[in-house]
Amino acid sequence: MKKIIISVDGPAASGKGKIAKYISEKWKYKHLDSGIIYRRLANILLKNKTNLKSNQQIKKIINQNNRISFRKSQILRSEKISKIASEIAVHKYIRDSV
């Protein structure tokens, strides 16, 4: 059986998570909030005071943290984390890494 992957993309606070959860429950699929991965990485970068303009520094942090937790946390929903997550998620090397 082929694996089915459904992706819901769009701007922040547009209801992506809600519709993704609805689809996963309706069709009994597993749900992965991929945004949480970028938020978790953003939090790690913030804690390490990483220069977000330095691809080399970001790659180093990614390589040091080869297992990023999918666990949700309230701190990951802060405005600062959201902003950093949006900035880093556009880079192909980051999307390929996470």
Side-chain angles (χ1 to χ4, degrees):
M1 180 175 180
K2 291 183 181 181
K3 291 183 182 180
I4 297 173
I5 298 172
I6 298 172
S7 176
V8 181
D9 200 2
S14 63
K16 298 178 302 289
K18 191 172 249 182
I19 193 69
K21 285 179 188 175
Y22 172 80
I23 291 169
S24 66
E25 288 172 8
K26 178 163 179 62
W27 296 99
K28 297 181 178 32
Y29 293 143
K30 291 183 180 178
H31 175 251
L32 168 64
D33 179 356
S34 61
I36 208 73
I37 301 167
Y38 298 108
R39 288 173 180 273
R40 179 75 59 192
L41 178 58
N43 191 40
I44 292 167
L45 295 172
L46 184 63
K47 283 182 180 178
N48 285 284
K49 298 180 176 142
T50 307
N51 177 354
L52 299 178
K53 304 267 188 249
S54 172
N55 293 346
Q56 192 171 13
Q57 282 186 25
I58 294 171
K59 286 177 183 179
K60 182 179 177 185
I61 295 293
I62 289 171
N63 290 334
Q64 290 172 345
N65 294 278
N66 60 356
R67 293 188 62 134
I68 296 178
S69 170
F70 296 115
R71 226 170 358 126
K72 294 183 181 185
S73 167
Q74 197 57 35
I75 194 163
L76 299 179
R77 296 294 174 191
S78 75
E79 187 63 34
K80 191 168 196 166
I81 296 294
S82 294
K83 185 176 183 288
I84 295 170
S86 293
E87 283 181 43
I88 64 173
V90 300
H91 298 290
K92 183 175 178 2
Y93 75 91
I94 292 176
R95 294 183 81 82
D96 290 345
S97 297
V98 298

